[in-house]
Amino acid sequence: MNEPFRDPELPLARRIADLRGRLTLEEKVGLLHQYQQPVERLGLGPFRTGTEALHGLAWLGPATVFPQAIGLASTWDPDLVRRVGEATSDEVLAFHHKDPAGAGLNVWAPVVNPLRDPRWGRNEEGYSEDPWLTGVMATAYASGLRGSDPTVLKTAPTLKHFLGYNNETDRCVTSSDLPPRVLREYELPAYRSALTSGAAVAVMPSYNLVNGRPAHLSPLIGEVLRAWAPDDLLVVSDAYAPANLTGLQAYYDDLPEAYAHAIKAGLDSFTQDDDRTGATLGHIHAALERGLLAEADVDLAVRHALSIRFRLGEFDPTTPYDDITEAVVNCPEHQELAREAARRSIVLLRNDGILPLTSVRRIAVIGQLGDTLMEDWYSGTLPYAVTARAGLAERCETVFCEAVDRITLSVDGGHIVADLDGGPLGIGAEPGLFDLFDWGGGCYALRAVATGRHLSVGDDGVLVNDQPGPNGWEVRQTFRTEERPRGTLALRHISTGRYVALDGEVLRLVDDADAAAWFTVERVVSGAEAAAALAATADVAVVVVGDHPLVNGRETEDRLDLALPAAQQAVVEAVRAVNPRTVMVISSGYPVTWDGDDPPAVLWSSHGGQEYGHALAEVLFGDADPEGRLTQTWYGSACELPDLLDYDIIAADATYQYFRGTPLYPFGHGLSYTTFDYTDLAVSVRGGRLTASATVTNTGGRAGVEVVQIYTRQRSSRVKQALRRLRGFVKVRLAPGESTRVDWDLDVRELAFWDVTRGRFVVEDASHKIMIGGSARDIRLCASFHVDGERIPPRDAFAGPIAAVDHDEYDSVAFVDAARVSGDAVRSTAEGAWIVFRSVDLGKGAASCSVSATSAEGGVITLRLDDPLYGPVVGDLPVPRAGRHDLTEVRAGLAEQGGVHDLYVVFENMGITVAALSFDETS
């Protein structure tokens, strides 16, 4: 065939245009679904978006499993992260060559949502609470996924999830309030690097709303993301999100209208109804027939969709990646890379000198995570598992205790017993034994000792014992307890909220709490006591604690707190009481907290993949220096966090940038087995560049690794500035006594912040401080420097409409959509709510003001100067009753006070929406 679109020598744009021009409208519409329709007459095959590859290929069978994304980031090594992405793309290609329909080349990774709040159920999927560091790691991983060929993509990486997405609770109906500075300085920067570099070529919007508008309809897709991308950007919906536009979100009345607006906003591919494309394509056709959508809109989306396929080499005779075969899947090189990534991700949080381990003959490995490895929702299937116990057993004599309580359950009719074939639980004369796993927050799982299988609930609501552990999209293996009379307990099934009742000879779920069975629980073996007894016989006790990635926090479920499960903490305390050489190893996808004294040594890693046990042993025994550093703040308590839905990190003093308290462990923290000294800081600002250098010396007796971190702080400003902001880092490896000079360079334009008075980034004329050290709180050297920049003038009241969202501070307002398509506004959530515009120049005085506003119940807006309660009133504006988006221009004369003032807009009633204000000057 000699069609121009198949000629790789032609420019890409011409090839795309040629193919698109050969398609009928119906054929073009068929390309706008996740399962793109084939066009046999042109030899155009089927194409599917969406292969999961967050930290290795997922969902398609055994493949190399690397540490979770948060663990990869804790290496602070972009090159390593890139190599992991490269290995993952190798395995995606291998599966694709074997089964093109089952393994598509559009991969849905990496996740670039900044980890603002560690209670987010998907915390382990992201990289860091810092947007710049997130961008560095996302770019590295996406670069590995896309491959090194300059023109042909190996796979097509997709950034998730745009935008302001850090909560699972009610995620499809909650709106993330993003003031302009938070949007521009915190949320958007995480996406920029991977897009501008061309490492990522696609984006997935998030389930939530942003400032009242569904993220899938965000005008920022076109205004910002596509402006950053050097080539066509594919935008794919999240699964089943399009239907939310008329369903849970009720933003439009019907799907043809909703889908038309989604395509116009920038959505190119609908992930809806799995492989059943008919309904989605029918709605798009209906939108065309009703004039809601033009063929030109479809053409643009089709261009984006086809661009990815062309760049993947689908229409080329050959690609650089055609020779990749199944031999790469879990190959020795990838196993070694998994081991390296796990080893270099481990963070040493605390060490009183017992690490690295020496003179050890016998280790007690203890804990319910001590001899198991966890798969999370987006991990691959482990091809093998080197647990902590297995890894340490290769080094010395090892004894093991799972350290969980062993119990019996009984009811009035007898004892609960397991079916040996994994069937329904029954009633027996002799007690059955069950191991009780505490996953925190009152969430328990039970395993039948007789079968080694976990209790679960079948589709018929009957309790069975047939599962290896908590698993699946709907986790059906976890329960809570509720107190009942005479010391008995009721069991409540977590995923359904129903109660366990006795139904004849079986246990079945019921809705009525009063019908729940009353269980008598007898502890036969204390996990803590058994652990202590074993620990007393060993030279060292290694207690492995942490979370289950599918329990108490995962997609669809946020965490209520950060506390280490009580039973696991009791085990640590019991072990430490009998063995002073106790190491607590935390394996979790998020920061944790605990009560009481710290163990002598504490390490953390994410769930580390198939080579975790080998990596842990290498760090514990000192074969390798612990290289990991935290990419999130570890708070002393969840009480130090703002509300989970408070996305305004500036106002809430959130993340390491603004947090004023003392963290349990700060951002960037991580210890080495040696010590480092910092000297001779030199700083200069010249030619628009900020340069710094310092000498770092290994002052200990071992070779070691230090992550030299560079932070800055603007010391004077018109606005509230971050206390510290990461600007760069350098990872150095030094022999004992060795020194190196660390150099760093920054364009001073990177010191800009978003000026709400003029809607652009601004570098102020201001003094700054540079801070260099081993973490955000371990600052060894600092120096002041000055940047010549702008002075932000008072806001000119008469220069044009002032957007309400461009205020400087606020109280009791929500950010909402001014209109369905574009524009933001603010809405009062309480009587007396206010926004303030600092330093407004009213000249000789304002004669009148007009406000674009609406309110379902009507109300009054009061304009005050300099104070929201006691400042002089310069005008009152009544707001008539109108619909949500029916903004009305309301005008009123003002007391003609001139000069520069802080202007407060006070909402005397709740539910008033204001989009903009305009002032007329006194003549």
Side-chain angles (χ1 to χ4, degrees):
M1 303 178 73
N2 57 0
E3 298 96 334
F5 73 83
R6 295 190 179 277
D7 184 354
E9 300 300 319
L10 292 177
L12 177 62
R14 181 177 170 186
R15 297 177 70 191
I16 295 172
D18 176 70
L19 176 54
R20 189 179 63 181
R22 296 171 184 272
L23 299 171
T24 67
L25 178 58
E26 183 173 357
E27 289 168 342
K28 286 186 285 190
V29 170
L31 299 179
L32 303 187
H33 192 273
Q34 178 188 20
Y35 288 81
Q36 296 181 20
Q37 299 296 294
V39 183
E40 295 180 359
R41 66 184 183 85
L42 296 175
L44 189 68
F47 183 89
R48 180 179 66 82
T49 66
T51 295
E52 301 294 351
L54 184 59
H55 52 108
L57 175 66
W59 298 9
L60 298 178
T64 309
V65 178
F66 298 95
Q68 292 173 311
I70 184 69
L72 293 175
S74 72
T75 67
W76 290 64
D77 191 329
D79 182 66
L80 173 63
V81 174
R82 179 195 59 77
R83 287 189 284 131
V84 171
E86 192 172 55
T88 299
S89 65
D90 283 344
E91 301 197 7
V92 171
L93 259 294
F95 274 77
H96 176 74
H97 290 157
K98 178 183 176 181
D99 179 12
L105 296 182
N106 169 236
V107 293
W108 287 355
V111 170
V112 294
N113 300 104
L115 302 180
R116 169 191 61 90
D117 193 312
R119 292 170 298 186
W120 182 34
R122 303 178 73 170
N123 190 82
E124 73 278 358
E125 296 183 31
Y127 293 116
S128 172
E129 68 185 87
D130 182 81
W132 176 80
L133 184 58
T134 294
V136 168
M137 295 303 171
T139 301
Y141 191 68
S143 295
L145 290 173
R146 82 171 303 284
S148 57
D149 189 272
T151 57
V152 180
L153 298 173
K154 195 177 186 182
T155 66
T158 303
L159 301 183
K160 302 193 306 185
H161 313 79
F162 188 79
L163 176 74
Y165 175 44
N166 280 132
N167 64 277
E168 297 304 298
T169 303
D170 298 328
R171 62 180 179 171
C172 294
V173 295
T174 56
S175 179
S176 304
D177 285 3
L178 300 181
R181 284 193 62 203
V182 175
L183 172 68
R184 302 286 178 170
E185 297 175 27
Y186 188 71
E187 291 287 345
L188 285 175
Y191 297 82
R192 183 166 191 167
S193 176
L195 291 176
T196 57
S197 66
V201 297
V203 172
M204 174 190 289
S206 50
Y207 284 113
N208 56 288
L209 300 90
V210 177
N211 294 354
R213 181 180 296 107
H216 280 70
L217 303 176
S218 174
L220 295 172
I221 294 171
E223 294 171 4
V224 176
L225 299 187
R226 288 211 157 96
W228 283 342
D231 299 300
D232 282 324
L233 186 71
L234 175 69
V235 178
V236 302
S237 84
D238 210 336
Y240 281 72
N244 290 339
L245 297 173
T246 59
L248 291 171
Q249 294 165 344
Y251 204 73
Y252 284 106
D253 293 333
D254 61 43
L255 287 171
E257 181 184 20
Y259 285 13
H261 282 282
I263 291 171
K264 288 181 176 181
L267 189 64
D268 307 310
S269 178
F270 288 76
T271 313
Q272 183 70 45
D273 302 325
D274 301 319
D275 60 353
R276 303 180 302 277
T277 64
T280 294
L281 303 185
H283 296 314
I284 297 173
H285 280 298
L288 287 163
E289 292 168 2
R290 289 164 56 181
L292 302 171
L293 199 62
E295 186 170 356
D297 299 316
V298 173
D299 283 347
L300 185 58
V302 168
R303 191 186 83 194
H304 299 149
L306 288 177
S307 173
I308 299 301
R309 296 177 66 169
F310 272 99
R311 291 155 66 194
L312 285 166
E314 179 178 341
F315 306 110
D316 296 349
T318 62
T319 80
Y321 311 111
D322 289 345
D323 295 334
I324 294 177
T325 69
E326 288 183 82
V328 303
V329 177
N330 192 38
C331 63
E333 294 79 9
H334 291 181
Q335 294 174 9
E336 178 54 39
L337 181 59
R339 185 169 181 164
E340 179 187 358
R343 179 178 67 246
R344 294 171 66 180
S345 73
I346 294 173
V347 183
L348 179 60
L349 298 176
R350 170 182 166 81
N351 185 20
D352 72 354
I354 71 170
L355 295 179
L357 297 176
T358 58
S359 303
V360 175
R361 294 176 298 175
R362 179 182 171 95
I363 292 181
V365 180
I366 293 165
Q368 60 192 55
L369 283 86
D371 195 29
T372 187
L373 293 184
M374 300 293 187
E375 295 175 359
D376 60 62
W377 183 247
Y378 287 101
S379 74
T381 302
L382 288 163
Y384 62 85
V386 183
T387 66
R389 177 187 185 183
L392 292 170
E394 295 179 10
R395 310 298 292 261
C396 64
E397 180 189 355
T398 302
V399 291
F400 174 70
C401 176
E402 201 167 20
V404 295
D405 288 347
R406 183 159 288 180
I407 65 171
T408 64
L409 296 168
S410 60
V411 292
D412 288 341
H415 300 285
I416 306 302
V417 295
D419 180 80
L420 295 180
D421 294 323
L425 299 177
I427 304 296
E430 296 297 324
L433 297 175
F434 299 90
D435 291 328
L436 184 66
F437 291 83
D438 180 4
W439 292 117
C443 179
Y444 299 95
L446 295 107
R447 183 182 63 198
V449 174
T451 65
R453 311 294 281 180
H454 276 63
L455 272 60
S456 186
V457 176
D459 293 338
D460 58 359
V462 173
L463 267 66
V464 294
N465 59 288
D466 65 348
Q467 295 298 311
N471 64 85
W473 177 252
E474 180 186 1
V475 178
R476 303 173 70 87
Q477 297 82 36
T478 53
F479 303 85
R480 299 192 190 281
T481 62
E482 294 183 3
E483 293 184 358
R484 292 295 187 265
R486 300 188 299 278
T488 60
L489 297 172
L491 290 179
R492 191 170 190 181
H493 190 230
I494 291 178
S495 72
T496 63
R498 304 174 74 197
Y499 290 86
V500 178
L502 186 62
D503 181 11
E505 293 293 313
V506 301
L507 297 175
R508 185 186 300 275
L509 296 184
V510 297
D511 295 322
D512 187 1
D514 292 335
W518 293 3
F519 293 97
T520 298
V521 179
E522 180 180 350
R523 187 168 63 184
V524 178
V525 176
S526 164
E529 292 176 2
L534 189 69
T537 71
D539 299 313
V540 173
V542 175
V543 187
V544 188
V545 298
D547 76 312
H548 193 301
L550 300 182
V551 176
N552 279 346
R554 49 157 294 170
E555 186 168 357
T556 72
E557 181 182 3
D558 292 311
R559 296 171 192 90
L560 299 178
D561 60 40
L562 303 174
L564 192 67
Q568 294 189 40
Q569 180 163 317
V571 169
V572 175
E573 294 170 353
V575 169
R576 187 183 178 207
V578 299
N579 192 329
R581 300 186 72 190
T582 295
V583 180
M584 181 167 74
V585 176
I586 305 168
S587 182
S588 70
Y590 61 96
V592 300
T593 64
W594 58 89
D595 297 325
D597 296 333
D598 290 332
V602 182
L603 297 95
W604 171 83
S605 76
S606 72
H607 293 279
Q610 63 198 51
E611 283 286 337
Y612 169 75
H614 285 148
L616 179 64
E618 289 172 345
V619 171
L620 289 177
F621 279 94
D623 300 348
D625 200 46
E627 296 187 28
R629 302 294 185 266
L630 299 179
T631 62
Q632 279 185 282
T633 302
W634 282 43
Y635 297 91
S637 166
C639 297
E640 295 178 309
L641 292 164
D643 186 275
L644 181 64
L645 294 177
D646 188 349
Y647 281 76
D648 188 347
I649 68 163
I650 299 175
D653 289 337
T655 79
Y656 83 95
Q657 293 186 359
Y658 293 92
F659 182 57
R660 297 180 181 276
T662 301
L664 178 63
Y665 293 109
F667 175 88
H669 174 74
L671 303 177
S672 166
Y673 287 149
T674 187
T675 55
F676 298 91
D677 191 24
Y678 291 67
T679 57
D680 304 326
L681 174 62
V683 180
S684 69
V685 181
R686 187 178 297 111
R689 308 296 298 185
L690 168 64
T691 61
S693 61
T695 298
V696 181
T697 303
N698 182 345
T699 55
R702 293 174 52 96
V705 177
E706 177 74 327
V707 179
V708 181
Q709 300 163 42
I710 301 98
Y711 299 84
T712 67
R713 177 184 182 184
Q714 184 169 333
R715 305 176 73 175
S716 59
S717 179
R718 177 189 179 277
V719 300
K720 180 180 180 179
Q721 291 284 355
L723 301 173
R724 57 197 73 83
R725 182 167 294 168
L726 181 70
R727 298 297 186 178
F729 63 90
V730 180
K731 197 167 189 176
V732 297
R733 302 173 187 275
L734 299 175
E738 183 183 5
S739 296
T740 189
R741 193 72 178 167
V742 173
D743 299 305
W744 173 77
D745 177 88
L746 182 75
D747 189 323
V748 296
R749 289 176 294 184
E750 296 299 315
L751 301 175
F753 66 91
W754 186 258
D755 175 23
V756 295
T757 72
R758 291 173 290 178
R760 62 178 174 88
F761 277 101
V762 168
V763 177
E764 274 186 307
D765 189 274
S767 62
H768 295 251
K769 183 164 71 171
I770 187 170
M771 301 166 283
I772 299 180
S775 80
R777 298 300 182 99
D778 178 22
I779 300 302
R780 307 295 187 86
L781 299 171
C782 60
S784 296
F785 64 93
H786 187 87
V787 171
D788 295 327
E790 299 183 54
R791 185 187 71 83
I792 299 175
R795 197 187 303 242
D796 185 348
F798 310 109
I802 301 174
V805 294
D806 285 335
H807 55 261
D808 291 289
E809 295 176 49
Y810 61 92
D811 181 63
S812 300
V813 300
F815 290 71
V816 297
D817 50 336
R820 283 192 171 92
V821 174
S822 65
D824 293 339
V826 297
R827 177 178 297 150
S828 57
T829 60
E831 294 181 2
W834 52 261
I835 56 176
V836 59
F837 302 92
R838 300 287 184 198
S839 300
V840 177
D841 188 351
L842 295 171
K844 298 178 182 179
S848 64
C849 174
S850 66
V851 175
S852 178
T854 186
S855 174
E857 301 297 329
V860 174
I861 296 170
T862 300
L863 303 182
R864 290 180 179 268
L865 300 182
D866 303 320
D867 187 273
L869 293 176
Y870 307 109
V873 175
V874 294
D876 291 304
L877 295 97
V879 179
R881 296 184 179 184
R884 174 180 171 182
H885 296 119
D886 297 328
L887 295 169
T888 302
E889 292 294 326
V890 180
R891 180 176 295 273
L894 302 180
E896 297 179 6
Q897 295 199 34
V900 177
H901 296 273
D902 292 343
L903 175 66
Y904 283 85
V905 179
V906 183
F907 302 81
E908 303 296 350
N909 309 87
M910 67 182 299
I912 299 175
T913 297
V914 172
L917 302 88
S918 297
F919 294 90
D920 294 320
E921 192 171 10
T922 299
S923 58

